[in-house]
Amino acid sequence: MSTPRFRPWSSVGKKLLNGLTGVVLLLFIVAHLAGNLTIFIGKDALNAYAALTHSLGALLIVIELGLAAVFLLHAVSAITVWRDNRRARGTRYAMKRSKGGASKQTIASRTMIVTGLVLLVFLIVHLWQFRFGPAYMTTLPGHEGEVWDLHRIVVETFKQPVWVGVYVAVMVLLGFHLRHGFWSALQSLGALNPKLRPLAFSAGLIFAVVIAVGFLALPIFVYLAPDPNAGVALVQP
């Protein structure tokens, strides 16, 4: 008797792919936040973080292309799973009861597709602003030559109230997305049993709040702090 072949784009395969890419993105978000929070140490700490990533050279490009592929696979698998669920049910998501009692659906779970698409658009804008932003250069203590002045780009962006408002709003949406995404990713990978589900729900809420607050604290902090770049001229590489 032959063993059934696993099909990556089957219903189960798409959920597994969405869960796996979701876990990778959760780890990336944590690492990205850790790098961003160096701004609270000071300008040199943030620019040293940026210099470290740029020192990877070709490897950085490989990592970025890999992350882009993960983002794309996560988005496509999420959209197709959402579409398949709608087709199967024939109606929009609504409050319902399962065999085990009340539905575990929340506002976060019902708006995943919306918050996900908003975050995808935001990611493009974010990359345009910070990854491919102005070529400001500066010096760094203990570092030979000039380095990319990421700190100046961050300050110039978040001294504008409009961008502070946009980032704070999007980080709130990110919190909603992660609230359900944390639990959903583990569930899709079969890492949860009935006893662990309540713990996973609580952990997902804590994780979402910590990440969202961590990210939105940065624009607020920069906006309220004195502008260290006032009167600084652009230095071309």
Side-chain angles (χ1 to χ4, degrees), residues 175-204:
F176 272 99
H177 196 78
L178 294 178
R179 167 67 182 90
H180 180 72
F182 180 93
W183 173 86
S184 180
L186 297 178
Q187 178 74 5
S188 296
L189 294 176
L192 298 180
N193 59 45
K195 292 183 179 180
L196 289 177
R197 285 174 187 170
L199 178 62
F201 272 109
S202 299

Side-chain angles (χ1 to χ4, degrees), residues 16-236:
L16 285 173
L17 179 62
N18 188 252
L20 181 60
T21 54
V23 170
V24 173
L25 293 179
L26 289 176
L27 294 175
F28 165 72
I29 287 172
V30 172
H32 188 51
L33 175 60
N36 285 357
L37 292 180
T38 57
I39 195 171
F40 290 102
I41 302 175
K43 172 182 176 179
D44 290 340
L46 181 63
N47 285 338
Y49 160 66
L52 176 63
T53 58
H54 280 210
S55 68
L56 297 175
L59 179 59
L60 176 61
I61 297 176
V62 172
I63 294 173
E64 289 177 334
L65 290 176
L67 282 171
V70 171
F71 271 105
L72 181 61
L73 286 172
H74 187 72
V76 171
S77 60
I79 291 171
T80 53
V81 168
W82 173 80
R83 181 199 62 193
D84 293 346
N85 288 340
R86 279 180 59 88
R87 286 177 177 175
R89 291 170 183 168
T91 57
R92 292 180 179 273
Y93 286 112
M95 292 188 66
K96 63 183 187 302
R97 292 187 177 274
S98 63
K99 293 181 180 178
S103 171
K104 293 294 186 181
Q105 286 192 21
T106 62
I107 294 177
S109 66
R110 290 192 292 270
T111 58
M112 283 292 283
I113 195 67
V114 176
T115 55
L117 291 174
V118 171
L119 291 172
L120 183 60
V121 173
F122 166 77
L123 176 63
I124 296 172
V125 175
H126 182 67
L127 288 173
W128 167 68
Q129 286 182 309
F130 294 103
R131 179 64 179 90
F132 306 104
Y136 298 152
M137 304 299 290
T138 188
T139 56
L140 191 63
H143 191 282
E144 185 177 349
E146 295 183 326
V147 298
W148 183 43
D149 194 351
L150 175 60
H151 184 269
R152 182 175 176 183
I153 300 174
V154 170
V155 170
E156 287 189 351
T157 300
F158 294 137
K159 282 302 179 183
Q160 302 177 58
V162 171
W163 281 119
V164 174
V166 168
Y167 271 76
V168 169
V170 172
M171 291 308 105
V172 172
L173 291 181
L174 175 65
F176 272 99
H177 196 78
L178 294 178
R179 167 67 182 90
H180 180 72
F182 180 93
W183 173 86
S184 180
L186 297 178
Q187 178 74 5
S188 296
L189 294 176
L192 298 180
N193 59 45
K195 292 183 179 180
L196 289 177
R197 285 174 187 170
L199 178 62
F201 272 109
S202 299
L205 176 59
I206 295 171
F207 179 81
V209 170
V210 170
I211 294 296
V213 170
F215 274 117
L216 65 82
L218 191 150
I220 295 174
F221 168 77
V222 173
Y223 181 73
L224 296 177
D227 186 355
N229 294 330
V232 178
L234 170 65
V235 179
Q236 293 292 346

